[in-house]
Amino acid sequence: MSEKQIYGAIEAGGTSFVCAVGTGPEDLITKEITTTTPNETVSKVIEFFTSQTEKVSAIGVACFGPVDLNVNSPTYGQILSSPKLDWNGVNLVEKIQQALKVPVKIDTDVNGAAIGEYRHGAAQGKNNLVYVTVGTGIGGGVLVNGKSLPGLLHTELGHMFVPHDINQDSFGGNCPYHADCLEGLASAGAITERWGTKKASDLPDDHQAWELEGLYLAYAMVNIILTLSPEIIIIGGGVLKRKPLLKIIHKNVKKLLNGYLPLEAVSEDIESYIILPQYHGPAGVLGALELAKQT
Ligand code: ZN
């Protein structure tokens, strides 16, 4: 009989690193470490793992990005161009592997959350799914057969282009690369800039901002459905805390698809097809734990 395997997980975020050791949601020791400089943060992370009585056999990292996820690349695990400038070029995989001498697997934070939902939340049994987060930025994780879609880089669903009717919406968009891509039109920052408010959450439920937001996000959902045909789409993030928004998205997705897809999931039961995250535990860190199990 083999011994019970203990795994390590790190959800590496811009404001904190959540570290964990254990086997699953019922057996997890976690610690939150404030994100400061790379050196200070990484040494605290390593200290957390070395101070545990049980040694982990592998570590999974769900990381803010963009990150080099190509295992064959010489810079695998490196943070490529983070807005947190001092983290640019930091190779978390290398640092952790060297210090702890265990295999390390890295993926994006949103893929981590998608894996967490897949294993423990709303998407259980749905092997092909998309997870979109709409907050300060817009990110998207894509799982195919329960694993993140491999490719040149991770997916960047937030920067897809969506129709922008300048007569209806004169705001030019705020993505520094593309101006009016999805993120440039529909992130929390785009909402506050467009409507001249401090926080998107200050706008009342009946503000026209939400109809427009729901339309842009529906364009994104339609593009995702048409290109990836996922079994379920989970949409979360701070902006989706706005109650009426999901309904507006549902309404517009049906309208835009116009009956084209012969799918009951879309035509009859879209409320169970495009859904909010359902898992209220630490989906990101549990996703990272699953990554460790995949090494
Ligand atoms: Zn963009």
Side-chain angles (χ1 to χ4, degrees):
M1 282 273 286
S2 64
E3 276 178 63
K4 187 174 70 164
Q5 299 261 304
I6 307 285
Y7 295 97
I10 304 165
E11 186 184 10
T15 49
S16 73
F17 275 46
V18 181
C19 301
V21 294
T23 56
E26 280 81 40
D27 161 38
L28 209 63
I29 302 165
T30 61
K31 184 180 178 168
E32 192 164 348
I33 291 162
T34 307
T35 309
T36 56
T37 62
N39 278 345
E40 190 184 17
T41 314
V42 172
S43 17
K44 283 185 183 167
V45 166
I46 288 162
E47 201 181 294
F48 167 78
F49 286 107
T50 49
S51 68
Q52 300 303 316
T53 43
E54 289 178 287
K55 190 175 163 12
V56 299
S57 48
I59 294 178
V61 186
C63 186
F64 65 92
V67 183
D68 184 348
L69 300 180
N70 179 357
V71 284
N72 300 317
S73 159
T75 53
Y76 172 67
Q78 189 166 306
I79 296 171
L80 297 173
S81 59
S82 165
K84 289 181 83 70
L85 288 177
D86 48 353
W87 284 85
N88 276 348
V90 170
N91 194 322
L92 274 178
V93 170
E94 199 174 81
K95 281 178 188 291
I96 295 164
Q97 229 158 22
Q98 275 171 4
L100 299 171
K101 310 275 185 273
V102 290
V104 177
K105 182 166 181 181
I106 195 164
D107 209 328
T108 62
D109 44 6
V110 64
N111 278 339
I115 296 169
E117 280 284 343
Y118 169 62
R119 298 292 300 184
H120 306 289
Q124 287 179 65
K126 313 277 189 194
N127 294 328
N128 303 296
L129 69 108
V130 175
Y131 189 118
V132 176
T133 56
V134 188
T136 320
I138 300 183
V142 179
L143 300 192
V144 175
N145 294 325
K147 291 191 175 178
S148 58
L149 180 70
L152 286 177
L153 194 67
H154 48 81
T155 52
E156 286 282 6
L157 301 180
H159 294 267
M160 73 168 75
F161 290 88
V162 291
H164 176 202
D165 180 352
I166 205 87
N167 295 317
Q168 189 195 6
D169 173 22
S170 60
F171 176 64
N174 70 352
C175 171
Y177 292 91
H178 321 109
D180 61 353
C181 66
L182 178 67
E183 183 170 295
L185 290 172
S187 64
I191 298 173
T192 54
E193 264 191 58
R194 177 186 291 111
W195 302 106
T197 178
K198 234 177 169 178
K199 289 187 296 199
S201 56
D202 291 342
L203 298 168
D205 273 0
D206 59 359
H207 194 282
Q208 63 191 106
W210 304 114
E211 276 294 330
L212 187 65
E213 179 70 10
L215 176 65
Y216 287 135
L217 294 176
Y219 279 130
M221 296 298 109
V222 165
N223 290 339
I224 289 167
I225 295 166
L226 294 175
T227 50
L228 296 164
S229 195
E231 291 168 73
I232 195 164
I233 301 177
I234 301 165
I235 181 164
V239 172
L240 266 294
K241 294 212 164 77
R242 175 64 49 161
K243 282 266 162 12
L245 188 54
L246 187 64
K247 258 200 170 131
I248 301 172
I249 296 171
H250 288 154
K251 173 188 78 182
N252 282 299
V253 167
K254 284 169 86 164
K255 204 165 130 192
L256 291 168
L257 282 171
N258 198 23
Y260 177 67
L261 296 175
L263 293 175
E264 271 184 25
V266 178
S267 58
E268 307 295 329
D269 197 17
I270 197 162
E271 292 78 17
S272 333
Y273 181 59
I274 300 174
I275 61 165
L276 298 174
Q278 307 289 306
Y279 183 64
H280 299 295
V285 83
L286 286 169
L289 199 75
E290 293 303 320
L291 290 172
K293 293 177 186 176
Q294 291 173 8
T295 57

